Amino acid sequence: MKNTDFVVRFAGEGGQGVVTSAEGFAQANAQVGYYVQTFSTFPSQIRGGPVWTQTRVSTKPVRSSGDDLDVLVAFNEYAYNEHKSEVREGGVIIFDSGTFELEGIENSFGMAFDDLARSTGNARAANMVVMGALAYLVEIDQSILEQFVTKRFTRGRPNDQEIIESNIKALTLGRKEAENSGFMIGQMADAIPPEGEQVLINGNVALGLGALAAGVDVYIGYPISPATSLLIWMENNLPAPGKFVYQSTSEIESITSIIGAGFAGRKAMTATAGPGFTLMGEGIGLAWMAEIPVVVVDVQRGGPSTGLPTKTEQSDLLTALYPGHGDMQMPVIAPGTVEECFYAGYQALAWAERYQGPVVVLSEHMLAERNQNIPKPDISKLEPISRSVYTGSNGYQRYDGWELSPMPIPGNPGSYVANGSEHDGMGDTTHLGERHVQMTNRRFSKLKLLEDGTYESENTDASIVLMPWGGSKGTGLAAYEELTEQGADLGWYYTMFLSPLPPKLLEELKTKDLVIVPELNYMGQFASVLRSYGVKAEAITQYTGLPFKVRDLVSRIQEKVGTQRKESVTA
Amino acid sequence: MTSKNPEYDFKWCPGCGDFGVRRALESAISRRIIDTEVAVENNVVVAGIGCSGNMVHLLEGDQPYGFHGIHGRSLPIAMGVKMGNPDLNVVVVAGDGDFLGIGLEHISPQAARNLNITAIVMDNGVYGLTKGQSSPTTDLGVVTSSTPFGKTEEKLHPFKMYMSLGVSFVSSTMSSQVRQMSAMMSEAMDHPGFAIVHIQSPCTEYNNTYELLKGNARKGIPGLAFDIPEDHDDSDWDAAFKLASGDGIPLGVIYRDATRPTLDQRIDEVSEKVKVKTVESLLESYAI
């Protein structure tokens, strides 16, 4: 039987081409119709330090980055020692014999990556040597990689042909080395290309594209891992007459300046990670208080404080919901896949405009750094939303009433004061109790305008259900599928709209005996939020800086279900 | 808006310098509306927190837009407003605590960008609204409620700092001189770039410096404030820096450079140069 799935991990040091090898291999396979997904983790330094990237290639949509390795490509000895235990039985280790030697390890073979590359006349083709060897191991046709090389290096430069030829030579050399090793992983089944056009992007690019599709005008951000790539992407792709994209000097400047732009009538956003998000707390409160649409993206990393800047974690949920002091609650959209990142970016701007206030997108390192093929979003079906604008004459009471009202835009009649202090209809400061009651109710009432979030559900009759959030969706879904195939009576719920939760979803969850929430944090943050709403929720937590493995999740869900059943029998 | 909004009961203390600043700002905005034939709603006053920040609520007559934000952040808010719509006339009103204390970090980047706004700084050398704590411009050794044994840090020298940071319009005036203040505000609003009108605006309650500034011949107090000599060349940075660094409070325009491009001009140049990317073309570039 042919393999339908292939997982390879490239591990080495920063600067050795670990990431480019993995992403190149993913792209080559995506081009012929396989489903691909990459996962990267690296140290917080410019060059060097242990880096690894994993590429999963499959004939079916990829849910997670894969538990076990079919192939480990070790660029140095440290990488070999760190990762060898994750190679499955029958898997193969390719090591760089130009860097170190392995004696007597049965499932491994060495080749000198750089020497082989240099022999082609192109010292930069080491990753092609590796890709050639990989392709042989899973019997992927050489022509697929050749097509990829030709496409990638046809750049309209005089030496294109030369580079293409040397890269193809490198592929062939790697292939021969693998052939001589005598190892095989087994043939990969033919690709079943997904229907419709596909794009290969990471989560941050998807978010940026979604925001652009929603009509973002202003983007202001400060560099911070893992949100920096979104700033860079915006700097390169947003500029146009009437648009403004800028690097700020701090997250405080980012949030307050996008609030200024939002006040001036523009669709404005910023992106940051945990430390920057915390700095933005006061500003987000101002946007809530003064009713100004802005979007803040928090690409989570390990916390607290500087924490784990280049690792993944889902530990900013409580901060995202309540980023500031006083009575306020943020609308929060937490995408769980690269595709959802696009729609989260889009929907966040739509929500901000609709309810006239701040909206938080809670993404994650593992999504930001994940390259995945997704269906190309059909932007012709999108109808970007803009805020309700006041068009009358001067003397307008902008904050009158208990519900949303049209917003005047500077430059047009309807002057008012946007005020962070409690205010009257004009926006002038007041400390009257009845006014604070009216305005507080008004601000919370607007959240009702955002109860249109969608959710997924399956096997809804089950009394015990699984409900992951954010980036744990993929592994959660894979675990759910495995368990239900084994005959478990388990339900499935999922939404990226964490606040406000779709009301019908919440109603359903309240009827369950147990809602199991796998999440990457210590506190079980989403489970505790659900409990505060009256849902019997329990978390399965992990805080290693890495995503769940499907296998671990399956056994921990079984454990929880077992305990629950036992308890209910006793009762 | 006081007359229209009975709920709003904030009052400056009798004799507060900010009254004069308000009159000057009202007349500068009115004059601008007449001169440029642009409606009042094309003006935005962005304020921080403190006595000075209440300016947005106390302006009488035709109302500009106002933004009463959070402490120290009036400059970045103003940047967002201005870059969101460069046609607006954006004026920041701030106190010395707001602008030079908590908000100090924001002056340097706006100077470097030459953001085309006007910042009106009401300097009373004290935190008034919280009842009399020391501020960056309080003199060394002065006893305040937060420095019961005398202030132990040296006074910040705002003009020297503005000059060093590259602010493109630096001016100085006093709250008792409404006409001079107003004229200076108009010049600052007309100036293409980051303009600061720094005003000595004494706090009669906690730091009454009227006499110190104006002097009192009868008591033999010479007065710190003096008019900038007519032969001062305000385009000469070295001369301006010398003036800014000297003793006393010079009154008038210390420095101006109207030749530097503003941030919105630079951004316009970029956006005219770049090839605009559509969502569709970007998606196409990621197609497999």
Side-chain angles (χ1 to χ4, degrees), chain B residues 67-102:
Chain B
F67 201 123
H68 197 174
I70 45 181
H71 200 25
R73 314 303 166 200
S74 50
L75 281 178
I77 290 172
M79 174 167 90
V81 176
K82 182 70 184 178
M83 296 312 294
N85 181 359
D87 292 338
L88 299 172
N89 176 43
V90 180
V91 178
V92 161
V93 290
D96 46 307
D98 195 73
F99 201 73
L100 303 171
I102 187 171

Side-chain angles (χ1 to χ4, degrees), chain A residues 30-31 151 197-201 205 209 212-213 218 220 233 236-237 239-250 252-253 256-257 259-261 263-264 266 282-283 286 292 373 376-377 379 394 397 408-421 424 426-430 432 435, chain B residues 1-2 4-10 39-46 49 54 56-58 63-71 73 75-86 88 102 105-106 109-110 113 263 267-268 270-272 274-280 282-288:
Chain A
Q31 277 174 12
K151 194 170 170 187
E197 283 182 86
Q198 300 272 307
V199 291
L200 182 63
I201 51 176
V205 170
L209 284 164
L212 242 67
V218 173
I220 297 169
W233 190 87
N236 281 287
N237 297 310
K243 305 268 176 174
F244 181 58
V245 50
Y246 215 69
Q247 178 181 332
S248 67
T249 58
S250 72
I252 291 176
E253 196 182 50
T256 45
S257 55
I259 288 170
F263 169 74
R266 314 309 300 273
E282 190 189 15
L286 171 63
I292 294 168
N373 62 303
K376 183 176 155 185
I379 57 169
N394 276 324
Q397 301 276 318
I409 306 297
N412 303 286
S415 301
Y416 72 103
V417 180
N419 195 345
S421 301
D424 61 17
M426 263 298 181
D428 286 321
T429 303
T430 170
L432 290 183
R435 191 59 95 168
Chain B
M1 296 190 191
T2 39
K4 277 179 271 170
N5 292 277
E7 280 179 41
Y8 186 63
D9 59 358
F10 179 86
V40 67
E41 54 263 23
N42 216 51
N43 297 278
V44 179
V45 178
V46 179
I49 300 298
N54 284 286
V56 281
H57 307 296
L58 297 171
Q63 295 294 312
Y65 275 82
F67 201 123
H68 197 174
I70 45 181
H71 200 25
R73 314 303 166 200
L75 281 178
I77 290 172
M79 174 167 90
V81 176
K82 182 70 184 178
M83 296 312 294
N85 181 359
L88 299 172
I102 187 171
E105 69 192 81
H106 302 298
Q110 301 311 355
R113 293 164 188 155
L263 179 61
I267 295 297
D268 278 352
V270 171
S271 49
E272 277 160 23
V274 296
K275 190 168 176 286
V276 175
K277 293 170 184 163
T278 63
V279 186
E280 195 53 63
L282 281 164
L283 279 170
E284 208 43 60
S285 73
Y286 298 109
I288 293 167

Side-chain angles (χ1 to χ4, degrees), chain A residues 199-493:
Chain A
V199 291
L200 182 63
I201 51 176
N202 67 38
N204 276 2
V205 170
L207 240 162
L209 284 164
L212 242 67
V216 68
D217 298 303
V218 173
Y219 182 97
I220 297 169
Y222 184 76
I224 182 169
S225 298
T228 311
S229 62
L230 188 49
L231 168 67
I232 293 166
W233 190 87
M234 284 290 185
E235 288 277 9
N236 281 287
N237 297 310
L238 185 59
K243 305 268 176 174
F244 181 58
V245 50
Y246 215 69
Q247 178 181 332
S248 67
T249 58
S250 72
E251 287 88 353
I252 291 176
E253 196 182 50
S254 298
I255 183 69
T256 45
S257 55
I258 64 165
I259 288 170
F263 169 74
R266 314 309 300 273
K267 292 181 181 177
M269 76 182 284
T270 185
T272 184
F277 189 77
T278 311
L279 280 180
M280 290 183 184
E282 190 189 15
I284 294 171
L286 171 63
W288 167 266
M289 193 73 170
E291 302 186 35
I292 294 168
V294 288
V295 169
V296 179
V297 179
D298 174 4
V299 187
Q300 297 166 93
R301 61 193 217 183
S305 188
T306 309
L308 305 169
T310 55
K311 302 285 173 191
T312 210
E313 203 164 272
Q314 302 178 284
S315 52
D316 289 354
L317 176 64
L318 296 177
T319 309
L321 285 166
Y322 312 110
H325 58 276
D327 271 328
M328 65 165 178
Q329 181 177 336
M330 280 307 103
V332 175
I333 306 178
T337 63
V338 171
E339 188 178 7
E340 285 177 9
C341 283
F342 176 88
Y343 291 100
Y346 176 84
Q347 195 59 36
L349 278 146
W351 269 15
E353 291 289 311
R354 188 193 298 156
Y355 102 113
Q356 297 174 15
V359 173
V360 177
V361 177
L362 204 50
S363 185
E364 291 159 48
H365 167 84
M366 72 162 127
L367 294 171
E369 295 290 338
R370 176 191 297 172
N371 278 278
Q372 191 169 14
N373 62 303
I374 63 164
K376 183 176 155 185
D378 184 357
I379 57 169
S380 69
K381 284 194 185 135
L382 302 175
E383 286 171 26
I385 294 177
S386 295
R387 72 194 72 171
S388 157
V389 169
Y390 175 74
T391 52
S393 52
N394 276 324
Y396 174 57
Q397 301 276 318
R398 188 261 184 273
Y399 297 108
D400 210 23
W402 294 65
E403 284 169 356
L404 182 92
S405 50
M407 182 171 171
I409 306 297
N412 303 286
S415 301
Y416 72 103
V417 180
N419 195 345
S421 301
E422 193 55 284
H423 40 267
D424 61 17
M426 263 298 181
D428 286 321
T429 303
T430 170
H431 300 147
L432 290 183
E434 60 261 41
R435 191 59 95 168
H436 187 48
V437 169
Q438 174 225 325
M439 294 304 290
T440 302
N441 287 22
R442 172 188 164 99
R443 289 185 287 267
F444 276 95
S445 82
K446 297 194 301 170
L447 290 174
K448 292 222 178 311
L449 302 169
L450 309 180
E451 289 181 345
D452 62 336
T454 53
Y455 64 96
E456 297 173 11
S457 61
E458 216 176 278
N459 193 17
T460 53
D461 289 338
S463 61
I464 299 178
V465 302
L466 188 65
M467 187 178 175
W469 65 276
S472 294
K473 179 188 185 184
T475 37
L477 192 53
Y480 166 77
E481 284 168 348
E482 199 174 314
L483 284 160
T484 46
E485 261 169 44
Q486 290 170 13
D489 185 21
L490 187 67
W492 166 262
Y493 285 91

